[in-house]
Amino acid sequence: MKISTVGIVGAGQMGNGIAHVFALSGYQVLLNDIAQEGLDKAMATIRKNLDRQVSKKTISQGDMDATLARITTTLALEDLGQCDLVIEAATEREEIKNAIFEKLQPHLKPTTILTSNTSSISITRLASRTDRPEKFMGFHFMNPVPVMQLVELIRGIATDEATYQTLLSVVESLGKISASAEDFPGFIVNRILVPMINEAVYTLYEGVGSVTSIDQSLKLGANQPMGPLELADFIGLDTCLAIMNVLYDGLADTKYRPCPLLTKYVEAGWLGRKTKRGFYDYRGETPVPTR
């Protein structure tokens, strides 16, 4: 299957990063969102990130101009129907993802491959709600997409070999590295990473250490580039909680129980960097721990 046109649903943090790397690699990209403001913000982010690459001399000004010319934006989801590949990168809520695929389905070419950038939701279950479970896969990029090399490829129970091989080739064409994961809650990265973050929140909740001491300990004692609470703020505490709930519900093991403090922060709307407050307060010049 030859892929030349790529439709992306959702122009947020993940969607604009995915659009960036596909367009830079020569694909024609159609970026969709429910609000014009979201599309305008996404294009501004893509332009800023490309500009940074030009200033670092990793790409030329010509590369940047050509990349931007390959991206078209649309508010009409049905416009994505004629793309060779569709990547859903909307909110991490299963009912929203199902609604997107349902609305898109009548407009799809028979050969279109459907994928989801979900970080934890069952690919088999999402695929079963479409008319093409054999052409459906998990296509999980890491954040920030232009920087991170890994892409998790997740086959549902019905995914055929041709679809899998096509997406393997696509990942390679982006200059990224794929890791194949089975369709179990959290896949590989989040099955390991998010419970570690949850344990760090428990460590804070139980008073074992402060925000600063926990993050310093993991950065200096385990050589991690970011502390787990700092990382949670970067990912989004709502996303961390959603993944923990998927793990807890899907694996029925109490070791995946979300920490009550994580739930409390999400209830407060303190979701991390995107809301200016999480385990750190980002409203000043330098982040300050909130506990």
Side-chain angles (χ1 to χ4, degrees):
M1 302 178 197
K2 179 164 171 50
I3 305 293
S4 57
T5 55
V6 180
I8 299 165
V9 185
Q13 193 173 36
M14 296 304 295
N16 73 60
I18 295 167
H20 174 148
V21 299
F22 269 95
L24 185 58
S25 298
Y27 293 90
Q28 293 296 322
V29 173
L30 191 53
L31 180 60
N32 163 261
D33 201 83
I34 56 172
Q36 186 61 46
E37 182 187 2
L39 292 173
D40 294 343
K41 187 178 176 185
M43 291 308 299
T45 300
I46 292 168
R47 188 172 277 104
K48 183 182 74 175
N49 289 338
L50 286 167
D51 222 13
R52 187 182 294 123
Q53 288 178 294
V54 171
S55 67
K56 289 181 176 178
K57 295 185 166 45
T58 56
I59 65 170
S60 68
Q61 184 63 48
D63 292 332
M64 175 175 170
D65 295 340
T67 297
L68 290 169
R70 292 188 197 106
I71 304 173
T72 306
T73 62
T74 180
L75 292 171
L77 184 62
E78 56 269 23
D79 288 351
L80 276 59
Q82 295 307 300
C83 293
D84 302 319
L85 168 66
V86 172
I87 304 167
E88 172 275 312
T91 307
E92 191 69 355
R93 285 171 54 194
E94 191 166 344
E95 64 272 20
I96 290 175
K97 296 180 186 299
N98 284 331
I100 287 166
F101 291 125
E102 187 178 343
K103 187 176 178 183
L104 192 56
Q105 199 162 281
H107 308 283
L108 294 173
K109 297 190 298 183
T111 54
T112 300
I113 294 175
L114 288 180
T115 67
S116 176
N117 183 58
T118 178
S119 51
S120 59
I121 296 167
S122 168
I123 298 304
T124 298
R125 198 163 61 236
L126 288 173
S128 72
R129 300 286 295 272
T130 74
D131 65 345
R132 61 195 67 207
E134 71 287 349
K135 289 188 183 337
F136 194 108
M137 275 192 69
F139 206 25
H140 183 214
F141 288 80
M142 305 294 130
N143 185 32
V145 181
V147 176
M148 302 294 277
Q149 282 193 290
L150 185 73
V151 181
E152 280 184 313
L153 292 180
I154 307 101
R155 279 183 279 198
I157 198 168
T159 306
D160 64 26
E161 186 63 20
T163 299
Y164 173 66
Q165 291 298 332
T166 298
L167 290 188
L168 272 179
S169 298
V170 168
V171 173
E172 191 176 338
S173 75
L174 299 175
K176 295 191 180 293
I177 295 167
S178 60
S180 297
E182 292 299 317
D183 185 22
F184 290 102
F187 316 132
I188 296 171
V189 173
N190 285 321
R191 173 78 177 264
I192 297 167
L193 177 66
V194 181
M196 183 201 75
I197 289 172
N198 193 53
E199 193 62 31
V201 182
Y202 265 116
T203 306
L204 178 66
Y205 176 63
E206 293 168 3
V208 179
S210 65
V211 169
T212 302
S213 61
I214 291 165
D215 277 353
Q216 276 186 344
S217 295
L218 270 293
K219 282 195 281 190
L220 302 178
N223 209 26
Q224 294 189 358
M226 294 173 80
L229 301 175
E230 184 186 2
L231 180 57
D233 277 357
F234 181 75
I235 294 168
L237 304 193
D238 52 340
T239 301
C240 292
L241 180 59
I243 294 168
M244 285 308 301
N245 280 323
V246 166
L247 291 170
Y248 189 43
D249 294 342
L251 298 168
D253 191 324
T254 54
K255 73 180 179 180
Y256 297 113
R257 182 171 67 94
C259 179
L261 183 60
L262 178 60
T263 303
K264 195 61 65 183
Y265 268 74
V266 173
E267 287 173 346
W270 292 18
L271 309 181
R273 285 179 180 267
K274 60 188 172 185
T275 59
K276 304 292 185 187
R277 277 192 291 186
F279 292 112
Y280 292 87
D281 188 326
Y282 300 92
R283 293 173 298 174
E285 283 190 25
T286 55
V288 179
T290 53
R291 287 180 83 84

